[in-house]
């Protein structure tokens, strides 16, 4: 039996860190960081408080052979840092496109980590996409700055439901042709 193409996820190396597939041993740090309300509030899908088993279910989805999203750990052990500083992912869309999403643990905010991780993912283009999209909540200008810094262009305003906020939140949508 051959491996499904979606199950193959490359390692992407930078000078400061490696983007690598999640592993079960990431559960502790993933749970610690994603249970932080400051992280959850800036995502559409992380609940707050984080329910029991949510982290393990997230890792299982990330490790599934057939999945619609590839998720990488931002692993800082290369420069003596933490094994997990945040995550970045690409969710498959139709027409050879994907949607990028990321979050960084608060202790690593304002270090350029998000911009460097997104740039590495764009440059590697592991899904060989023609374009990438991303949305950020309008009360998160730091993430919007990451997107524009990495060559994403503003498309327009929309709304996305946030599980942690239990409401629709205004967003800015961006795209990048590859």
């Amino acid at each position: 039996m051959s491996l499904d193409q979606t199950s193959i996820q490359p390692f992407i190396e930078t000078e400061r860190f490696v983007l690598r597939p999640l592993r079960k041993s990431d559960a502790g740090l993933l749970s610690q960081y994603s249970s932080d309300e400051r992280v959850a509030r800036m995502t559409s899908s992380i609940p707050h408080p984080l329910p029991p088993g949510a982290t393990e279910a997230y890792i299982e989805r990330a490790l599934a052979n057939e999945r619609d999203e590839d998720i990488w750990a931002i692993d800082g052990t290369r420069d003596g840092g933490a094994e997990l500083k945040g995550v970045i992912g690409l969710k498959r869309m139709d027409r050879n496109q994907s949607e990028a999403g990321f979050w960084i643990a608060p202790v690593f905010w304002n270090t350029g980590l998000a911009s460097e991780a997104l740039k590495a993912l764009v440059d590697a283009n592991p899904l060989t996409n023609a374009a990438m999209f991303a949305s950020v909540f309008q009360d998160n200008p730091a993430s919007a700055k990451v997107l524009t810094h990495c060559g994403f262009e503003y498309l327009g305003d929309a709304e996305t439901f946030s599980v942690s906020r239990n409401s629709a939140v205004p967003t800015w949508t961006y795209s990048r042709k590859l």
Side-chain angles (χ1 to χ4, degrees):
M1 185 168 153
S2 66
L3 213 49
D4 183 330
Q5 186 62 29
T6 61
S7 68
I8 300 167
Q9 187 176 331
F11 284 67
I12 301 168
E13 299 187 22
T14 74
E15 286 187 28
R16 281 203 301 169
F17 57 82
V18 174
L19 299 180
R20 60 159 174 80
L22 289 181
R23 50 188 179 222
K24 289 182 181 184
S25 63
D26 291 326
L29 286 174
L30 266 175
S31 183
Q32 177 184 338
Y33 296 145
S34 64
S35 66
D36 187 314
E37 186 177 12
R38 296 170 295 173
V39 171
R41 284 185 56 79
M42 294 304 165
T43 72
S44 60
S45 61
I46 299 174
H48 185 79
L50 196 65
T55 301
E56 293 77 8
Y58 178 73
I59 292 171
E60 288 302 317
R61 284 192 309 275
L63 296 176
N65 283 337
E66 294 184 28
R67 59 186 179 274
D68 65 356
E69 182 176 21
D70 285 353
I71 302 166
W72 288 266
I74 303 170
D75 186 326
T77 55
R78 162 169 273 185
D79 72 351
E83 192 171 345
L84 189 130
K85 294 183 172 189
V87 298
I88 189 164
L90 288 174
K91 187 169 191 167
R92 290 169 188 78
M93 301 170 66
D94 62 356
R95 298 181 313 209
N96 195 27
Q97 302 173 112
S98 63
E99 182 176 10
F102 57 87
W103 59 260
I104 305 297
V107 69
F108 305 111
W109 286 356
N110 301 311
T111 63
L113 189 64
S115 292
E116 192 174 341
L118 183 58
K119 181 180 182 327
L121 196 59
V122 166
D123 290 348
N125 193 9
L127 303 180
T128 61
N129 290 131
M132 287 183 191
F133 291 86
S135 292
V136 298
F137 293 147
Q138 290 182 9
D139 60 356
N140 187 359
S143 287
K145 187 176 179 181
V146 167
L147 294 174
T148 57
H149 180 76
C150 292
F152 283 72
E153 296 180 3
Y154 172 77
L155 284 180
D157 294 6
E159 279 187 345
T160 299
F161 186 80
S162 168
V163 174
S164 67
R165 299 180 193 204
N166 194 29
S167 65
V169 181
T171 61
W172 292 312
T173 302
Y174 294 81
S175 71
R176 162 104 195 234
K177 292 193 185 328
L178 302 172

